[in-house]
Amino acid sequence: MKLLVTRRMTPAAEKALAARFDCDFQDVTAGLTPQEARQALADYDLILPTLGDRFTAEAFEGPIRCQFVANFGAGYNHIDVKAAAAAGVPVSNTPGAVTDSTADIALTLILMVARRAGEGERLLRAGAWTGWQPTQLLGTHVSGKTVGIIGMGRIGKAIAQRCHFGFGMRVIFFNRSPVSALGFPAEQIDDLHDMLAQADFAVVAVPGGAETRHLIGAAEMARLGPQGYLINIARGDVVEEAALIAALAERKIAGVGLDVFEREPIVPEALRAFENAVLLPHLGTAAEEVRTSMGMMALDNLIAFAEGRAAPNRVN
Ligand SMILES: NC(=O)C1=CN([C@@H]2O[C@H](COP(=O)(O)OP(=O)(O)OC[C@H]3O[C@@H](n4cnc5c(N)ncnc54)[C@H](O)[C@@H]3O)[C@@H](O)[C@H]2O)C=CC1
Ligand SMILES: O=CC(=O)O
């Protein structure tokens, strides 16, 4: 079967994919446009896409040869999975493989923004460090503070674990359905605004898509308050970027740590200008082993489909 892999993968993942399927590895950095996605659906039996490839409803409107789309990544908001199902194309993702590394990046952002690490490094690299001072670059102590997690799924739980066991933090969370048996103390709060008002660090870990678009806007940042930090490792458009820029300018929140942006790879100049904004280029899963595991998981789904078995991570 002919498989389109829309980006280059790790050598181990490419080797495993090429051993099983007739692969075209696209050596590009830009994602597929809806027109290119439509062409790919017409030309290939199988597709392994990733975020940035725009498999919109329009992409599924043309003639379709493709029988299975195995997304490389946990988030699949770039694929219209309802349109895919209507066109008879099953879609899978790679949950679990991404969990620990993405939780680690959330903790990286919490620590960097609270302890002003980016700001300190910029100062040092600029040759402006004059030596240790008792009152220089004073940040916020993370241990013992309250973390409020929005979306207590796989990644949310892994973040909560790290915060509880690693930093002795109080854990509170908001989730659309009840969550139990976490194995450590954590309080579910059903009102997002109430939860934000209690949080020192609010961490966004919900899936992207129409339901969560701009879930965090001006009103939510006002609830977090001038001592509160906002962290987003989920999808950029869950946080209303214009409202975030206004909140930072008006000092309505203490700072922000972002791994994701509304219009990646565009990061507004206004956002880049804030010293209290830590900005990472979507590094959540950027570790060799993790990207290989993601590739292997996508491959497992493709093999299951090709052998007539149920794909383990089907989402539609
Ligand atoms: N920065 C990065 O590199 C990465 C980002 N991600 C993003 O993280 C997201 C979450 O991943 P997982 O934890 O594996 O997913 P998951 O499906 O295990 O967890 C999502 C949680 O959010 C909750 N939820 C969904 N909609 C909600 C809403 N409207 N309000 C409140 N709660 C809601 C669900 O009930 C679930 O508990 C992915 O969909 C992806 O977009 C994932 C991996 C890496
Ligand atoms: O953003 C990455 C993903 O796996 O989703």
Side-chain angles (χ1 to χ4, degrees):
M1 292 173 105
K2 201 150 180 53
L3 168 65
L4 173 66
V5 183
T6 66
R7 312 289 161 79
R8 296 310 301 256
M9 297 281 138
T10 63
E14 287 196 350
K15 192 172 168 205
L17 286 160
R20 185 62 178 75
F21 295 105
D22 174 9
C23 297
D24 275 352
F25 294 101
Q26 282 204 146
D27 199 358
V28 296
T29 53
L32 298 181
T33 63
Q35 294 71 30
E36 289 166 340
R38 185 179 174 136
Q39 193 62 52
L41 287 164
D43 291 346
Y44 289 88
D45 301 303
L46 307 167
I47 304 177
L48 192 155
T50 188
L51 63 93
D53 293 327
R54 298 181 54 214
F55 283 84
T56 58
E58 183 194 342
F60 290 96
E61 278 167 5
I64 292 190
R65 168 175 165 184
C66 181
Q67 298 166 53
F68 196 93
V69 172
N71 184 53
F72 180 85
Y76 50 88
N77 55 310
H78 54 287
I79 303 172
D80 190 324
V81 294
K82 280 199 185 128
V89 183
V91 178
S92 66
N93 70 340
T94 61
V98 303
T99 302
D100 284 328
S101 64
T102 310
D104 291 347
I105 283 293
L107 268 295
T108 303
L109 288 168
I110 290 176
L111 290 168
M112 282 187 73
V113 70
R115 300 300 301 276
R116 302 173 64 176
E119 204 180 335
E121 209 208 16
R122 285 190 288 277
L123 177 105
L124 183 148
R125 285 180 188 272
W129 187 39
T130 53
W132 191 90
Q133 306 293 338
T135 57
Q136 190 186 38
L137 282 169
L138 300 186
T140 299
H141 194 44
V142 171
S143 296
K145 293 285 179 359
T146 298
V147 63
I149 296 171
I150 302 149
M152 197 63 151
R154 295 176 186 86
I155 296 171
K157 286 174 190 163
I159 295 167
Q161 267 175 352
R162 284 157 173 73
C163 290
H164 171 74
F165 292 109
F167 295 91
M169 296 174 86
R170 174 181 171 231
V171 176
I172 57 177
F173 65 91
F174 171 79
N175 198 72
R176 72 176 166 190
S177 51
V179 177
S180 55
L182 287 169
F184 52 87
E187 182 189 350
Q188 181 157 8
I189 298 178
D190 290 334
D191 184 284
L192 176 59
H193 284 197
D194 283 353
M195 195 216 67
L196 289 168
Q198 294 183 45
D200 298 301
F201 298 89
V203 186
V204 181
V206 287
E211 198 196 323
T212 55
R213 185 169 187 276
H214 291 182
L215 181 67
I216 307 297
E220 288 67 36
M221 286 181 251
R223 296 298 288 185
L224 186 58
Q227 313 303 322
Y229 295 88
L230 178 66
I231 308 296
N232 186 9
I233 54 81
R235 283 293 180 266
D237 64 359
V238 181
V239 174
E240 194 181 343
E241 219 161 63
L244 171 63
I245 290 166
L248 287 167
E250 294 159 21
R251 302 200 167 272
K252 295 246 169 79
I253 61 172
V256 71
L258 301 175
D259 190 42
V260 288
F261 302 87
E262 270 210 81
R263 290 183 302 132
E264 293 179 15
I266 297 167
V267 179
E269 179 56 44
L271 199 48
R272 284 188 269 151
F274 293 112
E275 285 289 8
N276 55 346
V278 177
L279 310 172
L280 299 182
H282 207 139
L283 290 182
T285 59
E288 177 91 16
E289 305 89 323
V290 176
R291 292 280 166 86
T292 294
S293 299
M294 291 164 69
M296 297 305 184
M297 202 167 189
L299 175 59
D300 285 348
N301 282 276
L302 291 168
I303 292 174
F305 171 77
E307 293 178 352
R309 291 180 284 114
N313 306 106
R314 194 166 159 180
V315 295
N316 67 346

